[in-house]
Amino acid sequence: MADVPTVLLHLSDIHFRHGRSGTAHDLDADLRNQLERDVLELRNRLGVIHGILVSGDIAFSGGKDEYEIASAWLHRLCELLGCETENVWTVCGNHDVQRDVIRKSNQLQLLHGALRDGAATTLDERLRMYLLDDEEAAEMLFRPLHNYNAFAFQFRCELGPKKLFWEHNLILNDGSTLRLRGVNSTIVSDEKDDVRVAPLVVGSAQSLIQQQDGVEHLFVCHHPPDWLLDRDIEDHLRRRTRLQLFGHKHSGRLYSIGDSLRIVAGATHPDRTESEWEPTFNAVSVSIRNRDGTRTMELDVYPRIWSKRDLCFKADLSGDRTENHHWLFRLPSWTPPAAAEISAKVVIETAATVEQAAETSVLEAAPSSGGGRLVNPARRLTYRFMSLPYQRRIEVAQELKLIENEDSDLNDSQRYEAYFRRAKERGLLPKLWEAVELAHGVETRDNPFV
């Protein structure tokens, strides 16, 4: 495999806002334009940007129209960078929660109180009781994320009681894996959120990461550990992850904890009334080096910050006054499997994924290797389907007889999930791929599901 680093763009707290974003009064339009210009320059310097990670607060109040604007902008950003649009990963933040849903439900407010008011040592028991054993409570807890999930489904980043977090594998330059995990810190997020008296919760089911040979972990969450009731997840993260990406705090920080690097992003769109209004974002380069039998992960972070004087983004030269910050982490020794073993592994992993479809994303698949190592056919199919107009999506599903009467009781993301699950179970994924491409006006290309 070519010795090329994997480069990811890290954004957070975009805060697309109803009634402002996309209007004549959108003061952040110039900010986004300058970000696009700066990212293009970064891409030209770094060679490529493979994907975009957004660590929460995509919207401002969880409104459907806010996500429509966010989708359009992320699509535009990917086109500018030459980055596959399905290589966007998001997690939800407190501004992605529909708080009006919570205000109208005394029962949901009581659930929030029951989860956040108890001891941290019994949090996992309470989460299991409400999310696993009580179907009605589980549905209610995720109801405020309905619009977020409808947006996130196109990137396979939707969340629910049976999918508390998402994972995706990226193949690094030595053939090893960087496994992304996006978790939900907004299960109890509401107007009472407070770092001291009303903290957020994550739970061990989301934060416990199992070690595996040849796999390193990148953890994405909106709220940093000091905002959590179960803040002791920090001890686990420092030992089991190499990269931790957080948002929420609107001021950027980079620091290592043990053998892990934590990036607390500033906001891409901070509130202009904040006393220290400083829009920021980051680019992160990841590569593996093997010298004299010693494997190391090399991380280069390029923090970018808004210059009020020059009205553009520039390198953040605070701290050591260098444009990029460099870290080296020693890794366990690992021998790449032979090509035949890799082929067998892909077949096994894909088959295993089919068996796990009920509990995880029904379309997860192993990413391809080589130059397109981040392209996942399943993610591409999902994105292409979701980018069709609503009526055309329904027509495609009807043509393949994927719609059933029971779907009327499902929300949008659950309904689309059902379509894909049935297509997989009935061996219709090849036909679904062809129908979606045809709906886009594209003659069928090589069909990865055949």
Side-chain angles (χ1 to χ4, degrees):
M1 185 173 292
D3 195 17
V4 176
T6 296
V7 182
L8 301 170
L9 193 64
H10 176 209
L11 309 174
S12 193
D13 297 72
I14 306 174
H15 295 154
F16 282 100
R17 194 165 186 165
H18 172 74
R20 296 190 190 180
S21 300
T23 72
H25 298 280
D26 185 358
L27 301 183
D28 291 327
D30 177 66
L31 189 69
R32 292 192 296 277
N33 182 62
Q34 290 299 324
L35 183 147
E36 293 166 8
R37 294 170 63 86
D38 190 63
V39 168
L40 275 175
E41 187 178 328
L42 269 176
R43 185 206 62 181
N44 293 337
R45 197 164 351 134
L46 299 177
V48 66
I49 290 179
H50 294 99
I52 299 172
L53 285 158
V54 188
S55 52
D57 280 3
I58 291 99
F60 186 79
S61 56
K64 184 178 179 180
D65 59 332
E66 295 172 340
Y67 290 115
E68 289 172 354
I69 298 169
S71 288
W73 183 66
L74 288 169
H75 180 80
R76 170 180 166 76
L77 191 58
C78 287
E79 282 193 330
L80 284 172
L81 296 175
C83 165
E84 298 289 348
T85 315
E86 60 268 25
N87 288 337
V88 173
W89 297 274
T90 71
V91 295
C92 47
N94 48 291
H95 280 278
D96 294 309
V97 172
Q98 292 173 266
R99 291 187 175 177
D100 58 330
V101 172
I102 303 169
R103 292 188 201 106
K104 295 174 183 176
S105 174
N106 290 330
Q107 207 170 356
L108 183 49
Q109 294 172 41
L110 289 172
L111 280 173
H112 281 193
L115 282 168
R116 74 187 343 163
D117 292 344
T121 52
T122 59
L123 172 63
D124 289 328
E125 182 181 338
R126 300 196 300 279
L127 283 169
R128 184 168 55 250
M129 178 174 65
Y130 290 124
L131 294 176
L132 185 63
D133 301 334
D134 189 333
E135 189 174 323
E136 187 177 347
E139 188 279 329
M140 193 178 300
L141 285 166
F142 277 86
R143 197 179 296 162
L145 288 176
H146 170 74
N147 286 339
Y148 168 78
N149 277 331
F151 154 83
F153 184 83
Q154 64 186 312
F155 307 121
R156 302 306 312 189
C157 295
E158 76 284 1
L159 301 167
K162 294 184 179 179
K163 186 185 176 187
L164 294 177
F165 59 88
W166 54 259
E167 286 191 329
H168 185 78
N169 291 343
L170 306 184
I171 307 305
L172 297 174
N173 58 293
D174 71 337
S176 63
T177 298
L178 179 66
R179 181 164 296 158
L180 314 182
R181 175 179 289 200
V183 310
N184 178 9
S185 60
T186 69
I187 295 172
V188 299
S189 179
D190 54 34
E191 292 171 336
K192 297 178 182 177
D193 291 358
D194 185 276
V195 68
R196 288 178 293 276
V197 298
L200 288 301
V201 304
V202 167
S204 299
Q206 293 198 82
S207 61
L208 285 175
I209 294 173
Q210 296 184 13
Q211 290 180 302
Q212 184 179 342
D213 291 344
V215 178
E216 301 299 331
H217 296 273
L218 185 157
F219 184 89
V220 193
C221 180
H222 182 65
H223 294 91
D226 59 328
W227 269 81
L228 304 178
L229 175 64
D230 48 331
R231 62 186 62 186
D232 59 350
I233 72 167
E234 183 155 15
D235 294 333
H236 188 80
L237 295 179
R238 70 194 294 268
R239 291 177 173 84
R240 296 289 178 86
T241 67
R242 295 300 175 191
L243 261 172
Q244 306 169 34
L245 305 185
F246 295 99
H248 190 62
K249 286 196 168 181
H250 290 206
S251 58
R253 287 192 66 195
L254 307 172
Y255 53 98
S256 56
I257 304 177
D259 290 328
S260 182
L261 173 63
R262 177 170 297 174
I263 305 177
V264 181
T268 303
H269 284 166
D271 192 324
R272 289 172 179 269
T273 62
E274 292 179 16
S275 57
E276 296 183 5
W277 181 78
E278 286 187 328
T280 64
F281 68 95
N282 305 288
V284 184
S285 172
V286 186
S287 61
I288 307 297
R289 296 288 177 266
N290 196 331
R291 296 189 178 94
D292 301 322
T294 299
R295 290 179 74 233
T296 57
M297 176 177 282
E298 298 194 1
L299 298 174
D300 285 282
V301 183
Y302 298 79
R304 312 298 291 179
I305 192 167
W306 181 257
S307 169
K308 293 180 181 178
R309 187 190 68 181
D310 298 321
L311 297 179
C312 64
F313 283 95
K314 290 189 169 184
D316 184 355
L317 299 178
S318 58
D320 60 8
R321 310 294 295 177
T322 59
E323 182 179 10
N324 66 298
H325 302 253
H326 187 72
W327 279 269
L328 285 174
F329 294 117
R330 185 165 180 172
L331 304 180
S333 59
W334 175 73
T335 303
E341 294 178 66
I342 292 174
S343 298
K345 181 181 177 185
V346 169
V347 171
I348 291 168
E349 286 187 347
T350 304
T353 301
V354 174
E355 297 300 320
Q356 298 163 1
E359 288 126 24
T360 59
S361 171
V362 300
L363 276 179
E364 277 302 314
S368 58
S369 59
R373 65 179 182 277
L374 300 189
V375 177
N376 182 310
R379 286 175 60 84
R380 183 167 185 81
L381 175 57
T382 305
Y383 181 80
R384 296 280 283 174
F385 177 82
M386 294 302 296
S387 62
L388 292 171
Y390 172 79
Q391 189 56 42
R392 193 67 188 96
R393 281 179 238 157
I394 299 303
E395 290 171 359
V396 167
Q398 286 174 332
E399 288 168 13
L400 296 179
K401 296 182 172 57
L402 300 175
I403 300 177
E404 296 185 0
N405 292 336
E406 64 192 55
D407 298 342
S408 60
D409 296 328
L410 303 178
N411 63 39
D412 290 346
S413 58
Q414 291 171 334
R415 191 178 304 118
Y416 296 133
E417 183 83 7
Y419 298 164
F420 285 114
R421 183 177 63 251
R422 289 167 194 149
K424 170 172 275 188
E425 291 169 351
R426 299 168 187 176
L428 294 174
L429 287 178
K431 289 187 176 181
L432 181 57
W433 174 278
E434 292 174 1
V436 169
E437 290 301 297
L438 186 61
H440 277 285
V442 178
E443 288 193 19
T444 306
R445 295 173 287 183
D446 291 340
N447 193 323
F449 295 98
V450 172

